[in-house]
Amino acid sequence: MYASTRKKTALNAVVFLYRQFLNIGLGNLDFDRTSKGRRLPVVFTHEEAMSVIANMRGHHKLLASLMYGAGLRVMEAVRLRVQDVDFGHRCIFVREAKGDKWRRTLLPKSLVAPLQAQIDLALAVHQRDLEEGFGEVYLPYALAKKYPGAACSPGWQYVFPAPERSTDPRAEVIRRHHLREQQVRRAVAKALAEAGIRKKASCHTFRHSFATNLLAGGTDVRNIQELLDHNDVGTTMIYTHVIGVHKRGVLSARWIELSDIQSLLGLAERGRCCSALLARLSMAV
């Protein structure tokens, strides 16, 4: 048996061969397509997430806090630019996200001061680069040609600049890029080990935990879908299966306390126990 992704890749290769090289139309292919089974994402409890963040330092800690508090992907977090942070409206604009889409998400109040300090640090680094004859940053969509001075403007600078300048292979220009996402992944993996968390977790687990916390707190699924930028609300609905049945009021008989059983017995002896309580008692004992 082969994985569904491998089968889809093989099918696409065959279709590409026939259409592009053999010039033969395949028409409608009548066969049963494979699909992945539903898998629930791994999430942190609030205590677990905070323990991981507590074991991190510096900008890595702030990046993890943004992933948990704003639902950012790791690449979205490291690509943040100064102009993407709106302190007045307490929100973050995510540009060039997955699928080349833009969205607006939350900026937690607890991260306002640390993020402002990080921006001040990034602009200080940018000022030093300008004094040394550098200071340009990469601009998407050929904006560097349309706005020649924008590459050196403070608003386009990365919030989390790389520690060293490097040569951009696309233009052969020495620039300061953003922090590499692999460094953040390694820092999170190290913090997970130090916190003693044995879940199969990663940077993306903070994003899943952001969604489940909102859902458990009563936030509407449609609002969560917008914050996470899911195309289909069904993708967001998967988090309803993650928050746990106990969050939805379902209680296992094994969780009934001894005092509850004793009170039920007392009610039954006095003849004031309804049939529902008797059924619950029979399950508990």
Side-chain angles (χ1 to χ4, degrees):
M1 294 293 293
Y2 295 103
S4 60
T5 304
R6 187 173 181 181
K7 292 180 181 179
K8 291 178 182 178
T9 303
L11 174 62
N12 291 334
V14 172
V15 172
F16 183 81
L17 171 66
Y18 272 77
R19 289 180 178 175
Q20 301 297 326
F21 292 93
L22 303 180
N23 294 322
I24 300 175
L26 295 177
N28 294 326
L29 300 178
D30 186 13
F31 66 97
D32 295 331
R33 296 180 180 270
T34 59
S35 60
K36 290 183 178 180
R38 189 186 70 181
R39 298 178 182 177
L40 298 180
V42 178
V43 297
F44 294 130
T45 64
H46 178 68
E47 292 74 18
E48 288 174 338
M50 297 309 296
S51 66
V52 175
I53 294 173
N55 281 282
M56 303 179 72
R57 299 291 182 271
H59 46 252
H60 292 150
K61 182 176 183 177
L62 181 55
L63 282 163
S65 300
L66 283 170
M67 289 186 285
Y68 180 53
L72 301 181
R73 300 178 179 93
V74 59
M75 183 57 78
E76 295 171 349
V78 297
R79 281 180 175 175
L80 278 180
R81 300 183 190 250
V82 173
Q83 64 183 359
D84 297 337
V85 183
D86 188 342
F87 290 106
H89 291 93
R90 290 243 318 263
C91 66
I92 295 174
F93 290 91
V94 182
R95 312 171 197 267
E96 301 178 71
K98 186 176 180 180
D100 196 25
K101 293 179 293 185
W102 292 23
R103 76 177 189 277
R104 189 174 72 168
T105 187
L106 308 174
L107 173 59
K109 185 177 181 180
S110 60
L111 298 183
V112 169
L115 196 54
Q116 183 64 68
Q118 177 63 33
I119 289 177
D120 293 341
L121 176 61
L123 293 180
V125 172
H126 171 59
Q127 183 61 37
R128 187 184 64 190
D129 288 342
L130 288 175
E131 293 172 357
E132 295 177 359
F134 301 98
E136 283 193 11
V137 71
Y138 166 74
L139 297 183
Y141 312 118
L143 289 177
K145 293 182 179 179
K146 188 174 182 180
Y147 306 106
C152 293
S153 65
W156 280 101
Q157 303 306 308
Y158 289 113
V159 176
F160 299 96
E164 301 292 338
R165 294 187 294 262
S166 60
T167 303
D168 189 341
R170 291 164 292 196
E172 296 298 328
V173 176
I174 297 178
R175 293 171 172 158
R176 189 179 295 275
H177 205 49
H178 58 68
L179 196 69
R180 291 181 58 192
E181 70 277 6
Q182 192 61 33
Q183 299 177 7
V184 187
R185 297 183 194 277
R186 292 187 185 125
V188 170
K190 182 180 179 182
L192 283 167
E194 293 176 352
I197 296 177
R198 304 290 179 252
K199 294 179 178 179
K200 189 179 179 181
S202 63
C203 291
H204 211 67
T205 308
F206 287 113
R207 177 175 162 89
H208 293 319
S209 305
F210 166 78
T212 53
N213 285 342
L214 289 178
L215 189 61
T219 305
D220 184 75
V221 174
R222 289 289 183 179
N223 291 329
I224 300 176
Q225 178 191 7
E226 183 178 349
L227 290 172
L228 295 179
D229 198 26
H230 288 160
N231 288 328
D232 185 5
V233 71
T235 306
T236 313
M237 288 294 293
I238 195 69
Y239 295 113
T240 61
H241 302 280
V242 178
I243 60 175
V245 292
H246 59 283
K247 295 288 185 181
R248 302 194 294 268
V250 181
L251 184 64
S252 169
R254 292 295 181 184
W255 294 353
I256 299 177
E257 299 292 340
L258 180 60
S259 58
D260 295 333
I261 298 176
Q262 291 174 345
S263 62
L264 289 174
L265 286 173
L267 289 174
E269 290 174 357
R270 290 193 295 269
R272 292 186 287 130
C273 184
C274 64
S275 58
L277 290 176
L278 287 173
R280 183 182 177 189
L281 175 61
S282 63
M283 291 177 60
V285 298

